[in-house]
Amino acid sequence: MTPLPPDYFAGKKITIMGLGHFGGQIAAIRYLLHQGAIITVTDIATEDKLKDSLELLKGLDVTYHLGGHLESDFVDADMIVVSPAVPKDSRYLKLAAQKGVSLTCEMNLFLDRCRGKVVAVTGTVGKSTTLGMIESILQAAEQTDFPALGLRKSWCGGNIGKSLLEVIADIQPNDIVALELSSFQLDDLAEIEYSPDVALLTNIYPNHLDRHGTLDNYIDAKANITRFQQPGDYLISRIGDENLEKICDLCPPQVTQWYFGEGDDANLKVRLVKHGEGHASLEYRPREGAEWEKLIDASEIYVPGEHNLFNAAGAAGTCLAIGISAATVARGLQNFKGLPDRLQLVGQYGQVRWYNDSKSTTPESGMVALKSFEPGTMIAIAGGYDKGSDLTAFGRQLAACCRITYCLGQTGPNLAATIHAAGGAVENVESLEEAVRQAAEIVQPGQVVLLSPGCASWDMFENYQHRGRIFTQAVEKYARK
């Protein structure tokens, strides 16, 4: 990767393709304006649909072409900054390429100029929670471990909805930058041939096949997290995942590979140990060939579910690779209280707990959430935008685990049919609020109501955060009665 010169953007005509609501494009606009670029924003969405993002850009010297694209914005520009959500086969991108206009994205702009040591997390399920755990550990380490390691400060951002591009000038070479990277962002990394200093892979299941086409293409995009790593870098991944093994096989030589999971494999760095009667702990090897030592008891990790113990194991291995002590890793995990929209307890009324797991946008993440609670104690709300994922196993597990499932969205009817065929109780509903209202009428003390859609949100909501807010508001409205 060859960084762009400091004054590269001054006077350049740059088109921002896709404004959206996620924040990355807004940060890119502000950064590029500060660098002296001439900015045009174009989006197929109308001004009314984008009013929240436009409000954040109020007063800035930007030209807007909304409700559709103009060819001139692509052929007469010096550069296009493309939203990850824009399809790669867009005819406007093809026009720009034919004219020799360079294409980039917000994350590539950031990584091109980031001076810090980068730690990145990806996977299909659990990457946001795992990054949150890493952030908690890094915060715990700043006062205790960082001085001895020659480190100054930690930063956290990426696909969690927080761009670091605007603060890039503040990031120093002795800082740690922790990022969540999506398959879309990783796909774009090939353009700059970049991989992070420490890479963590949580798991790989079929996902975003509407974008990538095949599982192999999806895996190939994810593989960019290690494909360009350098000697001395680290790759941490869960042992026994066949799809992850395909990525690990692409890891360059002289990159250290560590694993987390269960068992006693010689390559394991952190492992989950089950001691019986519901007791479990995480253990680690201080060095190769050493005896296992206790890292933390499972009861000290606040977020529920065995899957979160594996998330904690991955986060621990990543931070151990940085050089952070096991004691600090344990303290950081103890401090972590969970993230919004990820098995978030949003209400407890009359001995009934209401959980918001709106970040569950894949059937695999939905199935993981179901395993966090006792079978038969749950009322579930599931369904949403159709990404082309196979929902059969998810539907069968809903049938087996839940008193009843309320299905909604594009996938609702097919998911309901699968649940019914598997012998489960199910009902289709028109809205999330209606699902909450009906659940509140039948739920019993000691039971759980779980929003874990297993599908994306785009058919009915702006994003998964919007879906989570609507659920939480509905819980406030109906569950308090």
Side-chain angles (χ1 to χ4, degrees):
M1 182 180 70
T2 303
L4 297 172
D7 60 348
Y8 178 83
F9 299 110
K12 292 286 196 302
K13 292 164 56 179
I14 299 180
T15 296
I16 307 294
M17 185 185 191
L19 179 57
H21 307 273
F22 204 54
Q25 296 294 79
I26 293 170
I29 291 165
R30 289 174 172 162
Y31 171 75
L32 292 167
L33 283 172
H34 184 71
Q35 298 295 311
I38 302 164
I39 300 296
T40 297
V41 172
T42 179
D43 199 303
I44 59 173
T46 62
E47 180 178 349
D48 183 62
K49 293 282 188 182
L50 297 167
K51 58 186 178 182
D52 55 338
S53 295
L54 293 172
E55 183 64 26
L56 296 173
L57 297 170
K58 192 173 181 179
L60 298 182
D61 186 13
V62 176
T63 298
Y64 295 101
H65 293 152
L66 306 177
H69 299 310
L70 300 178
E71 290 187 3
S72 58
D73 290 335
F74 296 87
V75 299
D76 296 333
D78 296 304
M79 176 180 281
I80 316 293
V81 178
V82 187
S83 165
V86 174
K88 295 292 186 183
D89 61 356
S90 165
R91 76 177 188 90
Y92 294 98
L93 296 182
K94 291 178 181 178
L95 279 173
Q98 288 169 5
K99 292 292 184 179
V101 178
S102 63
L103 307 178
T104 190
C105 61
E106 174 267 337
M107 183 55 67
N108 284 9
L109 287 174
F110 173 77
L111 291 172
D112 182 74
R113 292 192 171 190
C114 178
R115 296 176 292 172
K117 183 182 178 107
V118 176
V119 174
V121 182
T122 199
T124 304
V125 179
K127 53 186 179 291
S128 296
T129 295
T130 304
L131 183 70
M133 292 175 171
I134 291 172
E135 181 180 22
S136 183
I137 296 168
L138 292 175
Q139 289 173 347
E142 283 189 2
Q143 298 301 317
T144 55
D145 297 53
F146 273 26
L149 295 171
L151 299 173
R152 187 186 73 101
K153 185 178 179 179
S154 63
W155 307 78
C156 188
N159 194 52
I160 56 172
K162 181 181 179 182
S163 174
L164 297 176
L165 187 56
E166 288 186 86
V167 298
I168 194 165
D170 299 325
I171 299 175
Q172 302 300 312
N174 56 341
D175 288 355
I176 295 287
V177 178
L179 300 173
E180 177 187 323
L181 297 179
S182 70
S183 63
F184 296 3
Q185 291 168 319
L186 285 165
D187 202 14
D188 290 332
L189 285 191
E191 296 295 324
I192 59 173
E193 297 187 350
Y194 177 92
S195 294
D197 301 282
V198 181
L200 171 61
L201 291 159
T202 59
N203 45 59
I204 295 290
Y205 303 107
N207 193 23
H208 294 300
L209 300 188
D210 55 332
R211 169 66 172 262
H212 296 288
T214 66
L215 176 59
D216 285 342
N217 289 342
Y218 176 62
I219 292 172
D220 190 63
K222 290 288 192 182
N224 285 337
I225 200 168
T226 187
R227 184 174 271 124
F228 308 108
Q229 283 189 296
Q230 302 298 312
D233 290 346
Y234 284 83
L235 174 63
I236 290 87
S237 61
R238 183 168 173 177
I239 202 164
D241 185 316
E242 292 183 2
N243 290 325
L244 288 185
E245 288 173 3
K246 296 176 184 177
I247 297 176
C248 292
D249 288 342
L250 299 174
C251 179
Q254 297 181 297
V255 171
T256 300
Q257 292 197 50
W258 284 353
Y259 295 89
F260 64 95
E262 290 185 87
D264 198 28
D265 190 283
N267 293 314
L268 277 169
K269 181 68 175 181
V270 182
R271 69 175 182 177
L272 170 63
V273 180
K274 298 174 183 176
H275 304 288
E277 298 183 359
H279 178 59
S281 63
L282 296 183
E283 297 180 344
Y284 77 105
R285 279 195 177 107
R287 58 195 171 277
E288 186 176 352
E291 294 296 318
W292 289 101
E293 296 185 16
K294 182 178 177 180
L295 179 66
I296 188 172
D297 194 272
S299 63
E300 299 176 86
I301 297 175
Y302 182 82
V303 288
E306 182 179 283
H307 65 290
N308 276 320
L309 296 179
F310 286 115
N311 290 338
T318 300
C319 292
L320 290 171
I322 297 169
I324 296 171
S325 69
T328 302
V329 168
R331 188 169 71 253
L333 291 174
Q334 290 165 352
N335 292 341
F336 180 69
K337 298 299 188 287
L339 298 175
D341 303 305
R342 298 156 181 87
L343 281 178
Q344 176 191 15
L345 180 63
V346 296
Q348 186 164 351
Y349 308 111
Q351 297 182 326
V352 174
R353 290 170 293 156
W354 297 76
Y355 282 92
N356 167 24
D357 193 39
S358 183
K359 186 60 171 66
S360 164
T361 58
T362 66
E364 289 78 17
S365 61
M367 290 188 286
V368 165
L370 292 173
K371 293 178 182 177
S372 300
F373 306 100
E374 287 295 319
T377 66
M378 288 174 283
I379 294 174
I381 303 172
Y385 175 79
D386 189 355
K387 294 192 293 183
S389 300
D390 185 350
L391 302 176
T392 305
F394 182 39
R396 290 172 179 168
Q397 191 168 334
L398 286 164
C401 294
C402 301
R403 278 187 58 201
I404 186 171
T405 300
Y406 295 103
C407 293
L408 71 163
Q410 287 180 352
T411 63
N414 287 338
L415 181 59
T418 300
I419 295 168
H420 180 73
V426 63
E427 186 168 336
N428 277 301
V429 292
E430 293 297 319
S431 70
L432 182 52
E433 187 175 74
E434 177 62 17
V436 172
R437 186 190 68 78
Q438 292 194 32
E441 290 179 353
I442 67 169
V443 68
Q444 300 296 314
Q447 294 182 345
V448 167
V449 181
L450 171 67
L451 169 68
S452 192
C455 301
S457 59
W458 304 314
D459 56 335
M460 299 174 70
F461 307 94
E462 293 175 0
N463 47 44
Y464 73 83
Q465 295 99 324
H466 180 213
R467 179 169 61 189
R469 288 196 301 271
I470 296 299
F471 174 74
T472 303
Q473 291 166 5
V475 170
E476 287 282 323
K477 181 177 180 179
Y478 294 110
R480 282 183 178 273
K481 295 181 179 180

